[in-house]
DNA sequence: AATGAATGAGAGTTCATTCAT
DNA sequence: CATGAATGAACTCTCATTCAT
């Protein structure tokens, strides 16, 4: 019996992400993905039940990676100021370093059929547990979680997507961080 | 006679927006749009050169409508507080009242092939002219335009898309407004 | 607007019947049918919703033709003897003259998914109305309809399918007719 | 060890017959058969050279079983009346008890590519030897073998396939038997 | 202007079969 | 012997678009 070639699966994922990025969801056909991954179209169905499942599986995994990265960049011992900076900067850094994955997740997020299949809550739990801790310690002001998420992550994502609109992205990022510190810290 | 034709094009637009909302960009085929609009597929090509052009034309129009709505809701005579509230509330209201159009625009925005064809700058010019006026008058703090846009619109869009995550959306919206007032007003 | 080309539909039907006959239901793919009919595969979907519907529609039509032929060959004024001869001989003749259609119907009849979609009752009504008349007149013995159908049509079909097993088909047919006359006439 | 293998092949056969009955010849793919039989697709190729061979082997075996069953139900010492009853009743009983096998055989028989691979003559020899004996003894009327086969087996198969059309199958069967006794006995 | 017919190209998926273990 | 992985070919069906009226 032949054993599964996980390198193959990895190639399939990468091919899919790359294609969606370059040609949109419409452009990423199974045949194209297979060709780019150097496998037969039929092989894809060894690893995924169908195209939708493949999309949502890869989408989930990518979304998870983003949260993991952020998690690794924060530390309960940080000061409030540092904490906010770490959150925003890590989110931005991830988008920068993993441009393809970030862009892929953003694109999938806006697709109604796909976004339903992802459970953000699991990934973000650790981050929000920490935020709650800072709020209990009266370091962070207490706003509703959803609004905290909205102001912490939506603008930085917006920034990452519209990088070209900024004269100096580092300066823009620093400004955004300082704004959020003003807003959220006591 | 003219009304008849206008009706037809209007029906085509609505059918397309509706289909994209419900089935995603993939689900909106020319045949389906034609059926939903009660016209022949060939008729669509009387009004639009091809599908891409149709998409980007309707996309542009919808994006424009959103900005128009916001424009109508603000007034140079407003206080700074009122101004911010009006901006956020109108953005949210538009998303609520025009759920289909809002979702359609969001979805199209993340599509690389489409987003290139839209020039946001034109529409938002009026809004930013006003913001600059408030900044000159030392009512609004002076941050870079992109960051102002980021914090003013990204979170409220996020809110509109994740309405279900809020216990009480009105309360959430009020909180967000007050946060932005704290952040942006002197 | 282009008008429907009924010759095209006819070619599609014939191609399908021919292919099923020669290669079995498995061998009759849409692509092959299209090629044989000299149309695009897509064109088939102008005339039929899907392959199953196409099959059952053509099947129904063919089954109907067989009954029509038999109907035309019988006449209420016939003697009982003549009536039975006409029924059997016409059934056999049809099978002979329309070998492809006959064989096609037989093949489809044994397919469980297809045979459900055909309503024999409608077509055979006229024939059985006549049979009942002969029974009322005490010319034909009164057996249950299903058994009458069973002995009148099943053997002659069997004969038509196994023609090669007969030394002299005309003689065999004459014998079968005489058997049925003995069996069914007073 | 041997039992294990035998089990596997048996399971493959049953799975195939079951699938063909339920989904038609088209529905019985190697993958589905393997899944239903709880073996790997590759295992099927240990027992059969290819799919066609598998089909015709199982078809032959099933056709043989039907004749074997009938053989076991008849006896040279029977009266002519009993003999005919036994022939028809056993044929019907077999179809009833082995619905799957019966339907499978009927379906395969009408498939041109398959029916060539089966030699009916071998199995039916014993039955016809007996019939000839009864004819020599002037118990059964002497008709051509093919016509005897046609009237003895075609109607009962028809009955088995159209059971639902009968109000009372037992009554219908009894009637058919009595008809055949009238027809074939002196 | 408007349309249903028509289509080549390509979509997602499954096929029977072979490979490597 | 037995298997899951792998695949080229073929499957049904839909695509965006054009044609003929």
């Amino acid at each position: 019996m032949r054993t599964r070639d996980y390198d193959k699966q990895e190639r399939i994922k990468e091919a899919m992400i790359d294609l969606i990025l370059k040609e949109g969801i419409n452009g990423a056909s199974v045949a194209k993905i297979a060709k780019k991954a150097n496998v037969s179209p039929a092989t894809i169905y060894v690893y995924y039940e169908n195209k939708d499942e493949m999309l949502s599986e890869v989408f989930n995994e990518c979304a998870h990676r983003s949260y993991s990265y952020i998690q690794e960049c924060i530390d309960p011992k940080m000061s409030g100021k540092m904490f906010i900076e770490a959150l925003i900067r890590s989110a931005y850094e991830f988008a920068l370093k993993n441009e393809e994955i970030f862009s892929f997740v953003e694109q999938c997020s806006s697709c109604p059929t796909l976004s339903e299949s992802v459970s953000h809550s699991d990934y973000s739990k650790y981050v929000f547990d920490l935020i709650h801790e800072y709020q209990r310690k009266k370091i962070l002001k207490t706003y509703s979680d959803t609004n905290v998420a909205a102001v912490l992550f939506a603008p930085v994502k917006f920034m990452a997507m519209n990088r070209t609109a900024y004269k100096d992205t580092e300066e823009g990022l620093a400004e955004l961080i300082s704004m959020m510190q003003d807003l959220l810290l006591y």
Side-chain angles (χ1 to χ4, degrees), chain A:
Chain A
M1 189 198 76
R2 229 183 258 181
T3 48
R4 273 201 191 195
D5 186 346
Y6 281 99
D7 176 53
K8 218 166 254 183
Q9 188 164 12
E10 213 54 41
R11 261 152 49 209
I12 291 170
K13 273 184 219 164
E14 277 165 24
M16 194 187 73
I17 292 172
D18 201 43
L19 271 166
I20 287 190
L21 235 69
K22 282 183 186 138
E23 312 193 27
I25 285 202
N26 272 320
S29 74
V30 175
K32 278 189 197 166
I33 293 169
K35 193 168 221 173
K36 208 177 176 70
N38 218 29
V39 297
S40 159
T43 305
I44 288 179
Y45 291 85
V46 171
Y47 295 93
Y48 303 99
E49 193 147 355
N50 53 44
K51 201 195 174 187
D52 278 357
E53 219 200 54
M54 170 171 60
L55 254 169
S56 83
E57 244 177 69
V58 177
F59 175 34
N60 257 291
E61 198 184 306
C62 288
H64 177 64
R65 265 204 255 175
S66 159
Y67 276 103
S68 295
Y69 184 86
I70 294 174
Q71 259 178 245
E72 283 169 25
C73 294
I74 54 179
D75 183 332
K77 284 172 237 147
M78 284 173 164
S79 71
K81 232 181 147 183
M82 278 295 293
F83 181 63
I84 289 173
E85 171 156 10
L87 279 175
I88 294 176
R89 207 171 274 280
S90 63
Y92 185 77
E93 260 173 23
F94 181 84
L96 218 66
K97 286 184 187 163
N98 306 79
E99 191 176 351
E100 295 193 353
I101 289 174
F102 168 73
S103 196
F104 168 76
V105 169
E106 284 309 296
Q107 206 173 139
C108 291
S109 295
S110 67
C111 182
T113 41
L114 265 177
S115 58
E116 291 165 6
S117 67
V118 171
S119 50
H120 279 281
S121 49
D122 299 342
Y123 306 134
S124 56
K125 197 179 174 300
Y126 174 79
V127 172
F128 273 94
D129 281 349
L130 257 181
I131 288 174
H132 295 154
E133 188 115 348
Y134 278 98
Q135 289 174 335
R136 223 174 301 125
K137 288 183 188 161
K138 298 288 176 198
I139 299 170
L140 285 185
K141 289 182 187 162
T142 301
Y143 295 117
S144 66
D145 280 4
T146 25
N147 272 336
V148 171
V151 298
L152 267 178
F153 297 119
V156 70
K157 278 185 184 177
F158 176 89
M159 230 193 112
M161 289 182 77
N162 299 67
R163 249 166 302 151
T164 51
Y166 284 82
K167 284 172 208 159
D168 183 339
T169 53
E170 174 45 37
E171 208 175 297
L173 187 63
E175 190 187 62
L176 184 63
I177 290 167
S178 119
M179 286 166 86
M180 288 305 124
Q181 287 167 338
D182 281 355
L183 175 61
L184 296 171
L185 291 174
Y186 277 102

